[in-house]
mmCIF file of all heavy atoms in Angstrom:
data_model
loop_
_atom_site.group_PDB
_atom_site.id
_atom_site.type_symbol
_atom_site.label_atom_id
_atom_site.label_comp_id
_atom_site.label_asym_id
_atom_site.label_seq_id
_atom_site.Cartn_x
_atom_site.Cartn_y
_atom_site.Cartn_z
ATOM 1 N N GLY A 307 34.467 25.828 -50.119
ATOM 2 C CA GLY A 307 33.411 24.835 -50.012
ATOM 3 C C GLY A 307 33.862 23.398 -50.036
ATOM 4 O O GLY A 307 33.038 22.484 -49.896
ATOM 5 N N ALA A 308 35.169 23.155 -50.185
ATOM 6 C CA ALA A 308 35.669 21.780 -50.287
ATOM 7 C C ALA A 308 35.695 21.069 -48.939
ATOM 8 O O ALA A 308 35.719 19.842 -48.878
ATOM 9 C CB ALA A 308 37.063 21.771 -50.904
ATOM 10 N N ILE A 309 35.703 21.837 -47.848
ATOM 11 C CA ILE A 309 35.789 21.254 -46.505
ATOM 12 C C ILE A 309 34.680 21.831 -45.638
ATOM 13 O O ILE A 309 34.445 23.045 -45.630
ATOM 14 C CB ILE A 309 37.171 21.532 -45.868
ATOM 15 C CG1 ILE A 309 38.265 20.841 -46.684
ATOM 16 C CG2 ILE A 309 37.203 21.077 -44.417
ATOM 17 C CD1 ILE A 309 39.672 21.179 -46.224
ATOM 18 N N THR A 310 33.985 20.951 -44.918
ATOM 19 C CA THR A 310 32.917 21.352 -44.002
ATOM 20 C C THR A 310 33.378 21.160 -42.565
ATOM 21 O O THR A 310 34.020 20.165 -42.246
ATOM 22 C CB THR A 310 31.656 20.504 -44.235
ATOM 23 O OG1 THR A 310 31.172 20.739 -45.563
ATOM 24 C CG2 THR A 310 30.556 20.867 -43.240
ATOM 25 N N TRP A 311 33.085 22.119 -41.714
ATOM 26 C CA TRP A 311 33.355 21.965 -40.285
ATOM 27 C C TRP A 311 32.033 21.997 -39.524
ATOM 28 O O TRP A 311 31.105 22.696 -39.896
ATOM 29 C CB TRP A 311 34.318 23.038 -39.767
ATOM 30 C CG TRP A 311 33.801 24.452 -39.860
ATOM 31 C CD1 TRP A 311 33.932 25.313 -40.910
ATOM 32 C CD2 TRP A 311 33.067 25.157 -38.853
ATOM 33 N NE1 TRP A 311 33.330 26.502 -40.631
ATOM 34 C CE2 TRP A 311 32.793 26.447 -39.376
ATOM 35 C CE3 TRP A 311 32.622 24.839 -37.583
ATOM 36 C CZ2 TRP A 311 32.086 27.407 -38.655
ATOM 37 C CZ3 TRP A 311 31.912 25.787 -36.861
ATOM 38 C CH2 TRP A 311 31.656 27.057 -37.398
ATOM 39 N N ARG A 312 31.968 21.220 -38.449
ATOM 40 C CA ARG A 312 30.737 21.122 -37.673
ATOM 41 C C ARG A 312 31.077 20.835 -36.215
ATOM 42 O O ARG A 312 31.973 20.039 -35.924
ATOM 43 C CB ARG A 312 29.851 20.008 -38.224
ATOM 44 C CG ARG A 312 28.480 19.895 -37.557
ATOM 45 C CD ARG A 312 27.661 18.797 -38.215
ATOM 46 N NE ARG A 312 27.536 19.006 -39.643
ATOM 47 C CZ ARG A 312 26.629 19.811 -40.201
ATOM 48 N NH1 ARG A 312 25.789 20.470 -39.421
ATOM 49 N NH2 ARG A 312 26.566 19.936 -41.507
ATOM 50 N N ILE A 313 30.354 21.486 -35.303
ATOM 51 C CA ILE A 313 30.559 21.277 -33.870
ATOM 52 C C ILE A 313 29.353 20.545 -33.297
ATOM 53 O O ILE A 313 28.212 20.997 -33.440
ATOM 54 C CB ILE A 313 30.767 22.603 -33.133
ATOM 55 C CG1 ILE A 313 32.012 23.321 -33.661
ATOM 56 C CG2 ILE A 313 30.897 22.370 -31.624
ATOM 57 C CD1 ILE A 313 32.193 24.720 -33.121
ATOM 58 N N ALA A 314 29.599 19.404 -32.666
ATOM 59 C CA ALA A 314 28.553 18.625 -32.008
ATOM 60 C C ALA A 314 29.215 17.701 -30.999
ATOM 61 O O ALA A 314 30.320 17.205 -31.231
ATOM 62 C CB ALA A 314 27.752 17.810 -33.018
ATOM 63 N N ASP A 315 28.538 17.460 -29.878
ATOM 64 C CA ASP A 315 29.030 16.517 -28.861
ATOM 65 C C ASP A 315 30.451 16.835 -28.417
ATOM 66 O O ASP A 315 31.303 15.952 -28.308
ATOM 67 C CB ASP A 315 28.955 15.079 -29.382
ATOM 68 C CG ASP A 315 27.543 14.666 -29.744
ATOM 69 O OD1 ASP A 315 26.614 15.090 -29.042
ATOM 70 O OD2 ASP A 315 27.378 13.936 -30.732
ATOM 71 N N ASN A 316 30.733 18.121 -28.191
ATOM 72 C CA ASN A 316 32.031 18.569 -27.693
ATOM 73 C C ASN A 316 33.171 18.332 -28.680
ATOM 74 O O ASN A 316 34.347 18.328 -28.310
ATOM 75 C CB ASN A 316 32.370 17.891 -26.356
ATOM 76 C CG ASN A 316 33.500 18.576 -25.624
ATOM 77 O OD1 ASN A 316 33.578 19.800 -25.575
ATOM 78 N ND2 ASN A 316 34.399 17.785 -25.048
ATOM 79 N N THR A 317 32.839 18.117 -29.965
ATOM 80 C CA THR A 317 33.853 17.800 -30.970
ATOM 81 C C THR A 317 33.701 18.694 -32.193
ATOM 82 O O THR A 317 32.597 18.871 -32.708
ATOM 83 C CB THR A 317 33.733 16.331 -31.417
ATOM 84 O OG1 THR A 317 33.858 15.484 -30.277
ATOM 85 C CG2 THR A 317 34.818 15.975 -32.428
ATOM 86 N N LEU A 318 34.821 19.239 -32.644
ATOM 87 C CA LEU A 318 34.879 19.980 -33.902
ATOM 88 C C LEU A 318 35.401 19.017 -34.963
ATOM 89 O O LEU A 318 36.529 18.532 -34.860
ATOM 90 C CB LEU A 318 35.812 21.189 -33.770
ATOM 91 C CG LEU A 318 36.197 21.926 -35.054
ATOM 92 C CD1 LEU A 318 34.979 22.494 -35.759
ATOM 93 C CD2 LEU A 318 37.210 23.034 -34.745
ATOM 94 N N THR A 319 34.573 18.730 -35.968
ATOM 95 C CA THR A 319 34.923 17.753 -36.992
ATOM 96 C C THR A 319 35.042 18.428 -38.352
ATOM 97 O O THR A 319 34.180 19.235 -38.732
ATOM 98 C CB THR A 319 33.855 16.642 -37.069
ATOM 99 O OG1 THR A 319 33.708 16.036 -35.784
ATOM 100 C CG2 THR A 319 34.256 15.580 -38.081
ATOM 101 N N PHE A 320 36.109 18.069 -39.086
ATOM 102 C CA PHE A 320 36.304 18.560 -40.441
ATOM 103 C C PHE A 320 36.166 17.392 -41.408
ATOM 104 O O PHE A 320 36.784 16.338 -41.207
ATOM 105 C CB PHE A 320 37.700 19.178 -40.601
ATOM 106 C CG PHE A 320 37.904 20.425 -39.791
ATOM 107 C CD1 PHE A 320 38.309 20.342 -38.462
ATOM 108 C CD2 PHE A 320 37.689 21.678 -40.341
ATOM 109 C CE1 PHE A 320 38.490 21.482 -37.702
ATOM 110 C CE2 PHE A 320 37.874 22.826 -39.587
ATOM 111 C CZ PHE A 320 38.275 22.733 -38.263
ATOM 112 N N THR A 321 35.376 17.571 -42.459
ATOM 113 C CA THR A 321 35.230 16.552 -43.498
ATOM 114 C C THR A 321 35.393 17.211 -44.858
ATOM 115 O O THR A 321 35.084 18.395 -45.031
ATOM 116 C CB THR A 321 33.853 15.868 -43.423
ATOM 117 O OG1 THR A 321 32.817 16.868 -43.523
ATOM 118 C CG2 THR A 321 33.689 15.098 -42.129
ATOM 119 N N GLY A 322 35.876 16.429 -45.827
ATOM 120 C CA GLY A 322 36.056 16.962 -47.170
ATOM 121 C C GLY A 322 37.388 16.532 -47.758
ATOM 122 O O GLY A 322 37.981 15.535 -47.320
ATOM 123 N N THR A 323 37.867 17.279 -48.722
ATOM 124 C CA THR A 323 39.117 16.934 -49.396
ATOM 125 C C THR A 323 39.970 18.181 -49.620
ATOM 126 O O THR A 323 39.452 19.286 -49.730
ATOM 127 C CB THR A 323 38.845 16.280 -50.767
ATOM 128 O OG1 THR A 323 38.051 17.177 -51.570
ATOM 129 C CG2 THR A 323 38.102 14.960 -50.609
ATOM 130 N N GLY A 324 41.295 17.953 -49.665
ATOM 131 C CA GLY A 324 42.223 19.037 -49.961
ATOM 132 C C GLY A 324 42.762 19.722 -48.725
ATOM 133 O O GLY A 324 42.586 19.254 -47.596
ATOM 134 N N ALA A 325 43.426 20.840 -48.934
ATOM 135 C CA ALA A 325 44.086 21.574 -47.859
ATOM 136 C C ALA A 325 43.129 22.550 -47.190
ATOM 137 O O ALA A 325 42.301 23.180 -47.856
ATOM 138 C CB ALA A 325 45.287 22.331 -48.410
ATOM 139 N N MET A 326 43.250 22.673 -45.878
ATOM 140 C CA MET A 326 42.499 23.690 -45.151
ATOM 141 C C MET A 326 43.078 25.061 -45.466
ATOM 142 O O MET A 326 44.287 25.214 -45.593
ATOM 143 C CB MET A 326 42.559 23.411 -43.652
ATOM 144 C CG MET A 326 41.849 22.135 -43.238
ATOM 145 S SD MET A 326 42.151 21.645 -41.513
ATOM 146 C CE MET A 326 41.450 23.052 -40.628
ATOM 147 N N GLN A 327 42.218 26.053 -45.605
ATOM 148 C CA GLN A 327 42.689 27.382 -45.970
ATOM 149 C C GLN A 327 43.436 28.041 -44.824
ATOM 150 O O GLN A 327 43.328 27.637 -43.663
ATOM 151 C CB GLN A 327 41.520 28.259 -46.398
ATOM 152 C CG GLN A 327 40.590 28.697 -45.269
ATOM 153 C CD GLN A 327 39.407 29.478 -45.804
ATOM 154 O OE1 GLN A 327 38.564 28.953 -46.519
ATOM 155 N NE2 GLN A 327 39.347 30.764 -45.446
ATOM 156 N N ASP A 328 44.220 29.066 -45.148
ATOM 157 C CA ASP A 328 45.006 29.792 -44.166
ATOM 158 C C ASP A 328 44.173 30.879 -43.497
ATOM 159 O O ASP A 328 43.245 31.441 -44.099
ATOM 160 C CB ASP A 328 46.219 30.446 -44.833
ATOM 161 C CG ASP A 328 47.198 29.424 -45.378
ATOM 162 O OD1 ASP A 328 47.283 28.330 -44.800
ATOM 163 O OD2 ASP A 328 47.854 29.728 -46.387
ATOM 164 N N TYR A 329 44.532 31.195 -42.252
ATOM 165 C CA TYR A 329 43.884 32.268 -41.509
ATOM 166 C C TYR A 329 44.937 33.186 -40.911
ATOM 167 O O TYR A 329 46.076 32.790 -40.709
ATOM 168 C CB TYR A 329 42.981 31.710 -40.406
ATOM 169 C CG TYR A 329 41.735 31.060 -40.953
ATOM 170 C CD1 TYR A 329 41.699 29.693 -41.192
ATOM 171 C CD2 TYR A 329 40.621 31.824 -41.277
ATOM 172 C CE1 TYR A 329 40.560 29.102 -41.730
ATOM 173 C CE2 TYR A 329 39.488 31.244 -41.815
ATOM 174 C CZ TYR A 329 39.456 29.886 -42.034
ATOM 175 O OH TYR A 329 38.339 29.308 -42.580
ATOM 176 N N ARG A 330 44.524 34.383 -40.608
ATOM 177 C CA ARG A 330 45.444 35.357 -40.018
ATOM 178 C C ARG A 330 45.306 35.343 -38.500
ATOM 179 O O ARG A 330 44.321 34.879 -37.944
ATOM 180 C CB ARG A 330 45.155 36.758 -40.558
ATOM 181 C CG ARG A 330 43.794 37.301 -40.152
ATOM 182 C CD ARG A 330 43.520 38.659 -40.807
ATOM 183 N NE ARG A 330 42.251 39.234 -40.375
ATOM 184 C CZ ARG A 330 41.074 38.948 -40.906
ATOM 185 N NH1 ARG A 330 40.998 38.069 -41.889
ATOM 186 N NH2 ARG A 330 39.970 39.518 -40.458
ATOM 187 N N ARG A 331 46.306 35.889 -37.843
ATOM 188 C CA ARG A 331 46.258 36.084 -36.397
ATOM 189 C C ARG A 331 46.004 37.566 -36.124
ATOM 190 O O ARG A 331 46.550 38.422 -36.802
ATOM 191 C CB ARG A 331 47.557 35.640 -35.753
ATOM 192 C CG ARG A 331 47.878 34.158 -35.942
ATOM 193 C CD ARG A 331 49.212 33.816 -35.334
ATOM 194 N NE ARG A 331 50.284 34.580 -35.945
ATOM 195 C CZ ARG A 331 51.426 34.911 -35.358
ATOM 196 N NH1 ARG A 331 51.668 34.535 -34.123
ATOM 197 N NH2 ARG A 331 52.343 35.604 -35.995
ATOM 198 N N GLU A 332 45.174 37.827 -35.118
ATOM 199 C CA GLU A 332 44.847 39.204 -34.771
ATOM 200 C C GLU A 332 44.816 39.367 -33.262
ATOM 201 O O GLU A 332 44.524 38.415 -32.536
ATOM 202 C CB GLU A 332 43.481 39.611 -35.340
ATOM 203 C CG GLU A 332 43.431 39.736 -36.851
ATOM 204 C CD GLU A 332 42.075 40.233 -37.324
ATOM 205 O OE1 GLU A 332 41.176 40.410 -36.469
ATOM 206 O OE2 GLU A 332 41.916 40.431 -38.531
ATOM 207 N N TYR A 333 45.082 40.584 -32.812
ATOM 208 C CA TYR A 333 44.970 40.867 -31.383
ATOM 209 C C TYR A 333 43.503 41.014 -31.028
ATOM 210 O O TYR A 333 42.746 41.728 -31.698
ATOM 211 C CB TYR A 333 45.718 42.143 -31.016
ATOM 212 C CG TYR A 333 45.631 42.441 -29.537
ATOM 213 C CD1 TYR A 333 46.441 41.756 -28.631
ATOM 214 C CD2 TYR A 333 44.721 43.374 -29.053
ATOM 215 C CE1 TYR A 333 46.349 41.994 -27.273
ATOM 216 C CE2 TYR A 333 44.622 43.622 -27.692
ATOM 217 C CZ TYR A 333 45.440 42.930 -26.809
ATOM 218 O OH TYR A 333 45.342 43.162 -25.468
ATOM 219 N N ASP A 334 43.073 40.333 -29.982
ATOM 220 C CA ASP A 334 41.690 40.383 -29.504
ATOM 221 C C ASP A 334 41.723 40.832 -28.048
ATOM 222 O O ASP A 334 42.168 40.090 -27.170
ATOM 223 C CB ASP A 334 41.047 38.996 -29.636
ATOM 224 C CG ASP A 334 39.563 39.009 -29.303
ATOM 225 O OD1 ASP A 334 39.154 39.819 -28.447
ATOM 226 O OD2 ASP A 334 38.813 38.202 -29.879
ATOM 227 N N SER A 335 41.245 42.055 -27.782
ATOM 228 C CA SER A 335 41.306 42.596 -26.426
ATOM 229 C C SER A 335 40.480 41.778 -25.447
ATOM 230 O O SER A 335 40.847 41.641 -24.285
ATOM 231 C CB SER A 335 40.834 44.058 -26.419
ATOM 232 O OG SER A 335 39.504 44.146 -26.922
ATOM 233 N N SER A 336 39.359 41.197 -25.920
ATOM 234 C CA SER A 336 38.520 40.397 -25.026
ATOM 235 C C SER A 336 39.207 39.097 -24.630
ATOM 236 O O SER A 336 38.927 38.532 -23.572
ATOM 237 C CB SER A 336 37.175 40.084 -25.695
ATOM 238 O OG SER A 336 37.351 39.271 -26.842
ATOM 239 N N ALA A 337 40.112 38.614 -25.482
ATOM 240 C CA ALA A 337 40.859 37.389 -25.190
ATOM 241 C C ALA A 337 42.167 37.690 -24.478
ATOM 242 O O ALA A 337 42.842 36.774 -23.999
ATOM 243 C CB ALA A 337 41.130 36.618 -26.473
ATOM 244 N N GLY A 338 42.556 38.946 -24.460
ATOM 245 C CA GLY A 338 43.776 39.352 -23.782
ATOM 246 C C GLY A 338 45.050 39.001 -24.532
ATOM 247 O O GLY A 338 46.114 38.863 -23.926
ATOM 248 N N GLY A 339 44.944 38.858 -25.844
ATOM 249 C CA GLY A 339 46.137 38.534 -26.621
ATOM 250 C C GLY A 339 45.810 38.244 -28.072
ATOM 251 O O GLY A 339 44.696 38.496 -28.547
ATOM 252 N N THR A 340 46.784 37.695 -28.770
ATOM 253 C CA THR A 340 46.629 37.375 -30.182
ATOM 254 C C THR A 340 45.940 36.020 -30.347
ATOM 255 O O THR A 340 46.278 35.059 -29.662
ATOM 256 C CB THR A 340 47.998 37.351 -30.876
ATOM 257 O OG1 THR A 340 48.621 38.634 -30.700
ATOM 258 C CG2 THR A 340 47.854 37.089 -32.368
ATOM 259 N N VAL A 341 44.976 35.956 -31.250
ATOM 260 C CA VAL A 341 44.217 34.730 -31.472
ATOM 261 C C VAL A 341 44.090 34.477 -32.966
ATOM 262 O O VAL A 341 44.385 35.335 -33.792
ATOM 263 C CB VAL A 341 42.809 34.812 -30.842
ATOM 264 C CG1 VAL A 341 42.896 34.995 -29.334
ATOM 265 C CG2 VAL A 341 42.001 35.951 -31.470
#
Side-chain angles (χ1 to χ4, degrees):
I309 296 174
T310 297
W311 63 271
R312 185 178 304 277
I313 299 172
D315 300 324
N316 195 41
T317 303
L318 169 61
T319 304
F320 294 85
T321 57
T323 57
M326 294 170 62
Q327 72 184 66
D328 295 330
Y329 289 94
R330 65 184 183 276
R331 298 177 300 153
E332 291 184 357
Y333 181 79
D334 186 328
S335 58
S336 64
T340 302
V341 298

